[in-house]
Amino acid sequence: MNLFSDRKYVISAIFISLILIYLIRLFYIQVIDKKFKLAANDNALRHKIEYPERGIIYDRQGKIMVYNEPAYDLMVIPKRVKTIDTSDFCQMLEITKEEFIEKITKLKKQKFSSFKPEIFINDISLETSLPLQEKLIKFPGFFLQARTLRKYPLKIASHALGYVGEVDDKIIAQNPYYRSGDNMGLSGIEKSYEESLRGQRGVKIVMVDVYNRERGSFDGGKYDTASVLGKSLYSSIDAGLQEYGEKLMQNKVGAIVAIEPASGEVLCMVSSPTYDPNLLVGRAKSKQYRRMLLDTLKPLFNRATMAKYPPGSTFKLVNALIGQHEGVINENTLFSCSRGFHFGGLTVGCHPHASPVNLRYSITTSCNSYYCNTFRNTLLKYKKTSEGFTVWRNHVLSFGLGKKIPIDLPQESSGNVPTVKYYDRYHGAGRWNAISIISLAIGQGEMGVTPLQMANFCTIIANRGWYYPPHLIKRIDGGHLDTTYLKRRFTTVDRKYFEVVVESMRNVVTNGTGRIAQLDSLSICAKTGTAENPHGKDHSIFIAFAPMNNPKIAIAVYVENAGFGATWAAPIASLMIEKYLRKEVKRPEMEKRILDANLLPKKSDWVTKK
Amino acid sequence: MANRNSEAVFQNIDWFMVVIYLLLVTMGWLNIYAAVYNDDHTSIFDTSQSYGMQLVWILSSFFLAFVILVIDGEFFPTFAYILYGIFVLLLIVVLFAGVDVRGSKSWIEVGTFRIQPAELAKFATNLALAKYLSNVNIKIEKTGTKLIAASIFMIPAAIIIMQSETGAALVYAGFILVLYREGLSGIFLILGAAGVVLFITTLLVDKAILSIILGAIAVFAFLFIRIRIRNILAVAGILLLSLVAVNGVDYAFNNVLESHQRKRINVLIGKEIDPKGAGYNVNQSMIAIGSGGLAGKGYLNGTQTKNNFVPEQSTDFIFCTVGEEWGFIGSTVVLGLFLLLILRIIFMAERQRSAFSRIYGYGLASILFVHLAINVGMTIGLAPVVGIPLPFFSYGGSSLWSFTILTFIFIRLDAYRFQILR
């Protein structure tokens, strides 16, 4: 009825085709192309990592050695930062204005994430955070995020406990568990028990709005994983003994290691000089770390497990045991000693004492000549020196010397017991014999032993021939100890040869070189040592265990550059035994003499910060 | 008489239209609720929130619809020019006395309410155009007729452009389809489409290269046309016009358009990538719609919607809520309903005895279509971002009133059709 009525089809066709184009487009972006779904998740979902609290470490008596203290990270949302009173702000945070400007401009340059919270300053202690929290409202864009810091209430055992720090790129590359910004144990128990202590990180998926504000959990938390708390550790360390040992060792360089012979549990591990473990926590960490790294006395160095000292006369006990086992000496074997061991032009001097000497007396009086003879005869028993030496060396190794024992710490030196190869290279193959290496007889020469190995060796004698590898952790809450520390190990020397050595060590204290260590009726057994040191004064060494039967403690004490073993190491060991077995030290003069002694090398800049 | 008349109206109402209208308005309201939903205000009747206010607009629209239905059918053609005049005046008044809202001076404040006359002017313009074109003596072939018809909708459009509401003005271009239906040569539609293509290619391709291409097309044209002076002149003329246009577009683009408009066009044609600036809205809108998938994330479960990633989501970008929470299926249903509505209007327009009602119907269909095409097109990256609402869906009193008035005048005219003699 209308001239242009057919045009309704054209118009309808235009309408329909455009709607069809739109539907095709919608089908493409909604059903086919997946990139918008990913972008939507990227927009709206944040994976929030929930760090569980790190495990607590208790001492032998259940005293807390390490716990977690609340701390804060100061976070910033760069886009929200407005002009603020920087002087007030910087003063509270103890940073300079330049540092502030540098940090904020760097963060503001990250264009696409400037709504994302970034760490501005991490590890702010609770004390620093309190005034900050009050004033934070004046600083838009900044907020505090809770985290935890390690706290060491007793301020002891820094070397054994170790410290925690941020993972570096190398660790992240090696271990997929860690992400940038994570913390992990970097030394000591914190490192070796990292997996127990850290727990399991949780992930919470939260929705955020366009301003990055959190808007609750995604899909009712269906995809969240809960974090698992770190496991608590029960250390074998006796905090009281550890603290006392550190006190005795103040102003001295050296180490004390004490072990419970029946279990291999380490009762104390002192490395001196030490430091307050709280120094390596939080913001001051890197500064303190650098300072200690430069300290000539190397306070960060764990001498107890890492320092190699010559064992000195204490090593005579090893040779006495090997000699007996190899049949070159027995309880009644006599050697003469006229102020030393003489062979050709070589003399190993000795202090004046009665001669000839039997085995017991050789230990009590620490006769050099006796052991030179014993050692020489041990090696001469075999056709070739190298053969005899290998037999001897294998015996030595079975005492936990010259190899990692092991202990449950990440850093442990294996010490040094030279090999046939070494002497072949040094003297030429077949061109050396017992005499050329005679200093091994008395624990000098190329021998290197750590204080831990010495204490373990003392444990072996106390146990008459066996030991559990020493360990600092006796129980993991909800976990199991590594079986390494639960299996007895035996030496290659027969058990029957130990008793005479033990009895002789008892005599060392009753009427030998270690009389100073005597403690009323307690049957302390001991051996003194004085290690010659090419760099300075001799090291003072003392190993002891008590009581003689059913021993409760075996101890090794090293005091660097202090002189005779009996002078410094022996009283320290004796006081430690008294502290551990009697709980109370009743020899104030001896204690005072040790505490007042300053045996540090002169010109040291070390100041104990406690 | 009046009584009988209104009875007849309610008997003759096209209920199909009314049902689609009610469906769209209700879906719009529910989607606005989803778009601004937050946990602090969960009641959909809370008038402190826009979904609560939208309910107020919806109920007042129902009242308006009822009033329109009881008004005598003869009222609209009779008062068409007067209404048109009033609204043109109002638009001019707004230009001087309007309130500045986000850079556009197009609002009038009445107490606490704000209305946008640019929205409401559409029905008056439609009425006036229908009135003019339904005149018995009208011959659309005449240039004068074309010019008068064009100026009826160009005048309000021009004033609206001066109010910095380019988007709202763009809608008036839809009236070309009405003219086409009433006999305007199809050449104008083709020229219009060719113009748009030329405009975009000018912005994309270098001027010199484009001139050579146009020249080549002209040479080809000579090969295929019959060699007559008229044809040769036509081809040469078109070529000349195109070359002028190419340079003109470039000039206009750089000197006439404002920088934010330039930027939006550049982003749309892919010349500029700016995911955080001009492209941000489109980008976020496509993310929201695209993440909806086939069946959507479910009502009130849209992560993008709930967390305000898309700006203006309750108004111009309301279609994102549909896309994200109802998915492709929901989007198809909504687009389908709109298409059904528009095709129903065309069907109804064609059954009118009066040219006035038919032309008005085509005007209504065209306006709805342009709104739908631009609004949905911009949310899926197929049209530039110009702020115009999705009919019946978008939050806002002015637009809902405007579309309700537009629609119900047509329903009223349709119900009245049997009383009209040709």
Side-chain angles (χ1 to χ4, degrees):
Chain A
M1 60 181 175
N2 186 297
L3 199 60
F4 301 105
S5 174
D6 283 351
R7 289 193 171 180
K8 70 180 176 226
Y9 299 115
V10 179
I11 294 171
S12 301
I14 292 173
F15 291 172
I16 293 167
S17 42
L18 195 97
I19 296 297
L20 278 178
I21 290 170
Y22 280 16
L23 286 178
I24 291 165
R25 170 78 164 180
L26 279 166
F27 188 77
Y28 179 75
I29 67 171
Q30 292 190 298
V31 181
I32 294 171
D33 197 337
K34 299 287 176 225
K35 81 174 181 218
F36 297 104
K37 285 156 201 75
L38 297 177
N41 286 344
D42 214 36
N43 258 349
L45 303 183
R46 291 278 176 279
H47 290 248
K48 252 184 94 178
I49 293 170
E50 301 216 306
Y51 292 98
E53 240 184 77
R54 209 170 161 81
I56 292 166
I57 305 177
Y58 299 93
D59 93 324
R60 200 172 179 80
Q61 262 84 38
K63 265 193 255 174
I64 291 176
M65 296 179 83
V66 190
Y67 69 100
N68 304 302
E69 199 184 51
Y72 296 92
D73 285 344
L74 182 66
M75 309 294 287
V76 63
I77 297 171
K79 266 273 163 71
R80 300 259 181 85
V81 176
K82 304 218 173 79
T83 327
I84 59 168
D85 179 359
T86 42
S87 67
D88 190 15
F89 189 77
C90 294
Q91 201 193 337
M92 267 194 294
L93 290 167
E94 295 157 10
I95 56 170
T96 64
K97 198 175 172 183
E98 286 72 36
E99 280 176 285
F100 173 83
I101 291 166
E102 194 195 310
K103 275 192 169 186
I104 203 81
T105 39
K106 197 179 144 198
L107 287 170
K108 275 194 169 177
K109 268 184 196 158
Q110 306 173 333
K111 191 181 169 197
F112 291 108
S113 55
S114 48
F115 270 118
K116 209 173 113 191
E118 303 268 1
I119 295 180
F120 191 69
I121 288 176
N122 58 5
D123 296 340
I124 297 171
S125 69
L126 190 64
E127 302 92 71
T128 317
S129 77
L130 289 175
L132 198 60
Q133 266 170 337
E134 274 175 37
K135 289 189 180 171
L136 215 53
I137 193 137
K138 291 203 294 185
F139 309 118
F142 290 93
F143 65 94
L144 289 168
Q145 182 170 289
R147 54 179 288 149
T148 60
L149 284 181
R150 285 305 235 185
K151 181 84 183 174
Y152 306 86
L154 304 173
K155 303 179 182 176
I156 55 165
S158 46
H159 297 100
L161 294 171
Y163 52 87
V164 168
E166 206 175 305
V167 293
D168 57 22
D169 296 341
K170 219 173 95 190
I171 295 167
I172 295 169
Q174 280 166 0
N175 190 331
Y177 179 86
Y178 296 100
R179 295 159 192 213
S180 174
D182 278 6
N183 276 341
M184 79 177 290
L186 295 180
S187 80
I189 292 171
E190 295 277 19
K191 182 173 182 181
S192 44
Y193 289 91
E194 165 70 9
E195 282 184 29
S196 299
L197 287 168
R198 77 179 178 207
Q200 186 74 41
R201 186 175 41 212
V203 177
K204 203 175 160 189
I205 304 175
V206 292
M207 286 198 295
V208 294
D209 70 3
V210 65
Y211 306 112
N212 250 308
R213 287 182 301 218
E214 283 179 26
R215 301 290 294 264
S217 62
F218 172 65
D219 217 350
K222 208 157 70 182
Y223 305 101
D224 296 358
T225 46
S227 61
V228 180
L229 274 182
K231 292 177 180 131
S232 289
L233 302 183
Y234 291 85
S235 172
S236 58
I237 287 179
D238 183 306
L241 186 67
Q242 175 77 27
E243 194 173 6
Y244 189 62
E246 291 186 13
K247 216 166 101 190
L248 292 177
M249 288 300 283
Q250 70 189 13
N251 297 321
K252 299 162 194 73
V253 180
I256 307 174
V257 178
I259 297 173
E260 183 182 69
S263 61
E265 290 168 11
V266 176
L267 299 171
C268 78
M269 179 180 277
V270 178
S271 174
S272 188
T274 183
Y275 59 91
D276 178 352
N278 294 303
L279 292 178
L280 291 187
V281 171
R283 288 175 63 201
K285 185 186 162 185
S286 55
K287 203 172 115 196
Q288 294 290 353
Y289 188 85
R290 233 171 308 143
R291 182 176 67 82
M292 287 196 267
L293 208 59
L294 295 172
D295 193 306
T296 51
L297 291 178
K298 299 183 181 166
L300 292 168
F301 182 57
N302 185 5
R303 290 175 162 80
T305 60
M306 294 293 288
K308 286 183 277 188
Y309 300 107
S313 299
T314 57
F315 195 66
K316 290 170 184 166
L317 301 173
V318 181
N319 278 327
L321 289 162
I322 297 171
Q324 285 186 80
H325 187 88
E326 288 297 317
V328 298
I329 56 164
N330 62 38
E331 211 179 315
N332 302 312
T333 305
L334 295 173
F335 289 111
S336 68
C337 172
S338 50
R339 290 263 180 145
F341 173 75
H342 310 281
F343 190 92
L346 176 116
T347 296
V348 179
C350 194
H351 60 100
H353 57 75
S355 177
V357 191
N358 68 8
L359 177 56
R360 284 170 196 272
Y361 188 58
S362 75
I363 294 174
T364 319
T365 197
S366 198
C367 173
N368 285 346
S369 176
Y370 195 92
Y371 291 96
C372 293
N373 283 304
T374 305
F375 179 68
R376 181 168 161 257
N377 291 352
T378 305
L379 267 57
L380 283 177
K381 189 186 158 195
Y382 296 89
K383 264 182 241 152
K384 281 165 69 186
T385 308
S386 60
E387 194 188 343
F389 182 79
T390 306
V391 170
W392 176 85
R393 187 174 187 276
N394 286 339
H395 282 305
V396 173
L397 256 54
S398 78
F399 283 89
L401 307 175
K403 63 172 187 190
K404 290 184 177 178
I405 306 177
I407 185 171
D408 52 351
L409 285 179
Q411 283 127 355
E412 180 193 3
S413 161
S414 53
N416 186 37
V417 177
T419 57
V420 169
K421 238 186 192 164
Y422 172 81
Y423 287 120
D424 280 351
R425 206 167 49 231
Y426 190 82
H427 297 285
R431 302 184 58 157
W432 54 280
N433 58 27
I435 296 304
S436 18
I437 57 171
I438 198 71
S439 49
L440 294 180
I442 56 166
Q444 298 288 350
E446 295 85 357
M447 287 287 292
V449 170
T450 66
L452 173 73
Q453 285 173 325
M454 224 52 224
N456 188 52
F457 162 61
C458 186
T459 298
I460 292 169
I461 300 175
N463 287 335
R464 279 77 164 168
W466 57 265
Y467 66 100
Y468 287 112
H471 46 280
L472 290 153
I473 296 302
K474 49 190 276 185
R475 188 158 70 82
I476 300 169
D477 211 1
H480 299 286
L481 270 194
D482 188 337
T483 50
T484 311
Y485 304 103
L486 302 173
K487 278 190 206 130
R488 266 187 205 194
R489 297 185 181 193
F490 292 87
T491 62
T492 49
V493 172
D494 198 287
R495 186 174 167 74
K496 65 185 176 205
Y497 301 117
F498 280 85
E499 209 52 49
V500 62
V501 171
V502 170
E503 282 164 16
S504 307
M505 284 174 77
R506 176 70 192 123
N507 284 335
V508 167
V509 179
T510 52
N511 48 20
T513 52
R515 283 187 301 273
I516 192 172
Q518 201 152 13
L519 174 62
D520 53 65
S521 58
L522 186 66
S523 52
I524 298 176
C525 305
K527 180 74 192 82
T528 54
T530 307
E532 279 172 23
N533 171 19
H535 309 296
K537 237 174 130 183
D538 296 346
H539 298 322
S540 177
I541 310 169
F542 198 73
I543 62 169
F545 65 88
M548 186 162 111
N549 295 310
N550 195 14
K552 294 287 177 221
I553 180 170
I555 190 167
V557 178
Y558 266 81
V559 186
E560 286 185 22
N561 313 111
F564 290 118
T567 324
W568 298 108
I572 290 173
S574 182
L575 288 168
M576 290 293 282
I577 291 171
E578 186 179 11
K579 172 80 183 170
Y580 183 64
L581 293 179
R582 297 281 159 83
K583 307 294 168 213
E584 213 179 330
V585 176
K586 286 183 178 158
R587 289 178 287 175
E589 299 92 51
M590 183 191 264
E591 193 178 35
K592 187 171 185 307
R593 187 187 140 235
I594 300 297
L595 289 177
D596 290 348
N598 186 338
L599 304 174
L600 292 179
K602 303 285 180 286
K603 273 205 257 169
S604 164
D605 57 355
W606 172 253
V607 184
T608 313
K609 277 216 167 182
K610 274 203 182 176
Chain B
M1 177 72 192
N3 201 19
R4 237 185 65 207
N5 188 21
S6 62
E7 258 174 45
V9 165
F10 287 103
Q11 273 167 22
N12 295 323
I13 273 184
D14 191 82
W15 287 105
F16 188 79
M17 278 281 286
V18 176
V19 168
I20 296 179
Y21 167 82
L22 290 174
L23 276 175
L24 288 173
V25 166
T26 313
M27 286 165 80
W29 182 45
L30 293 175
N31 280 297
I32 290 167
Y33 180 67
V36 286
Y37 176 82
N38 68 50
D39 297 323
D40 301 334
H41 304 269
T42 47
S43 167
I44 198 165
F45 303 110
D46 184 346
T47 49
S48 73
Q49 302 294 307
S50 32
Y51 41 80
M53 271 315 288
Q54 181 74 355
L55 184 63
V56 173
W57 300 127
I58 289 171
L59 295 175
S60 53
S61 296
F62 290 171
F63 175 74
L64 276 176
F66 179 79
V67 169
I68 289 164
L69 289 180
V70 295
I71 288 175
D72 194 290
E74 202 54 54
F75 171 85
F76 298 105
T78 313
F79 287 90
Y81 288 144
I82 294 167
L83 284 167
Y84 178 76
I86 291 171
F87 271 96
V88 169
L89 269 176
L90 202 55
L91 284 174
I92 294 168
V93 169
V94 171
L95 202 52
F96 296 104
V99 187
D100 241 317
V101 177
R102 271 169 296 167
S104 82
K105 226 176 178 215
S106 62
W107 299 80
I108 294 184
E109 229 158 36
V110 184
T112 53
F113 291 115
R114 274 200 308 234
I115 21 177
Q116 208 176 4
E119 282 295 333
L120 295 164
K122 273 176 265 193
F123 89 90
T125 309
N126 198 16
L127 282 174
L129 188 66
K131 174 83 178 173
Y132 176 70
L133 289 178
S134 60
N135 198 316
V136 196
N137 300 319
I138 273 302
K139 292 259 178 333
I140 197 129
E141 299 80 40
K142 286 189 190 161
T143 313
T145 310
K146 279 183 203 142
L147 282 177
I148 292 172
S151 44
I152 288 177
F153 60 83
M154 295 295 259
I155 288 169
I159 303 171
I160 291 167
I161 286 175
M162 283 191 266
Q163 296 172 350
S164 301
E165 277 287 333
T166 327
L170 209 59
V171 173
Y172 288 80
F175 284 114
I176 296 247
L177 285 172
V178 180
L179 297 185
Y180 171 71
R181 169 62 186 82
E182 293 308 311
L184 185 72
S185 167
I187 297 286
F188 288 93
L189 285 189
I190 295 166
L191 278 181
V196 171
V197 171
L198 195 65
F199 178 77
I200 292 170
T201 30
T202 308
L203 298 178
L204 283 177
V205 185
D206 187 81
K207 259 187 289 179
I209 296 171
L210 195 64
S211 304
I212 294 167
I213 293 171
L214 286 171
I217 292 172
V219 171
F220 263 102
F222 280 123
L223 295 178
F224 291 101
I225 54 167
R226 272 183 282 175
I227 305 297
R228 278 189 198 157
I229 302 286
R230 221 184 94 200
N231 289 350
I232 291 170
L233 280 178
V235 170
I238 290 169
L239 175 65
L240 195 69
L241 267 176
S242 304
L243 289 175
V244 169
V246 164
N247 291 287
V249 161
D250 211 45
Y251 176 82
F253 187 73
N254 288 320
N255 297 292
V256 178
L257 288 184
E258 286 174 38
S259 74
H260 73 274
Q261 291 165 329
R262 261 205 304 277
K263 206 157 194 185
R264 279 173 182 176
I265 291 171
N266 274 338
V267 169
L268 183 76
I269 59 178
K271 230 177 156 183
E272 226 175 281
I273 292 167
D274 187 8
K276 294 272 154 174
Y280 177 82
N281 294 15
V282 181
N283 206 34
Q284 288 300 330
S285 149
M286 283 174 72
I287 288 171
I289 294 172
S291 68
L294 185 66
K297 295 178 188 167
Y299 189 53
L300 299 184
N301 279 331
T303 54
Q304 311 301 296
T305 296
K306 246 200 281 195
N307 298 312
N308 311 325
F309 284 100
V310 189
E312 310 284 337
Q313 203 174 342
S314 62
T315 55
D316 296 346
F317 283 90
I318 189 71
F319 192 70
C320 296
T321 317
V322 178
E324 190 186 12
E325 298 193 343
W326 303 100
F328 178 69
I329 294 171
S331 309
T332 309
V333 168
V334 169
L335 287 183
L337 270 179
F338 271 110
L339 187 61
L340 201 61
L341 176 75
I342 291 169
L343 294 179
R344 178 74 188 175
I345 291 168
I346 290 175
F347 168 79
M348 283 161 70
E350 291 293 340
R351 78 183 177 192
Q352 302 303 315
R353 291 182 196 170
S354 111
F356 176 81
S357 303
R358 181 185 66 240
I359 295 165
Y360 183 87
Y362 269 95
L364 170 62
S366 303
I367 290 169
L368 286 175
F369 176 73
V370 175
H371 270 276
L372 180 71
I374 293 180
N375 183 284
V376 175
M378 76 181 180
T379 64
I380 55 176
L382 290 180
V385 178
V386 288
I388 61 169
L390 183 62
F392 314 115
F393 261 70
S394 290
Y395 170 75
S398 301
S399 95
L400 186 60
W401 280 5
S402 159
F403 288 113
T404 303
I405 294 169
L406 269 166
T407 309
F408 277 86
I409 287 177
F410 185 59
I411 293 174
R412 178 69 189 91
L413 292 172
D414 177 64
Y416 176 67
R417 68 183 185 272
F418 298 112
Q419 297 170 26
I420 291 179
L421 297 172
R422 287 211 64 177

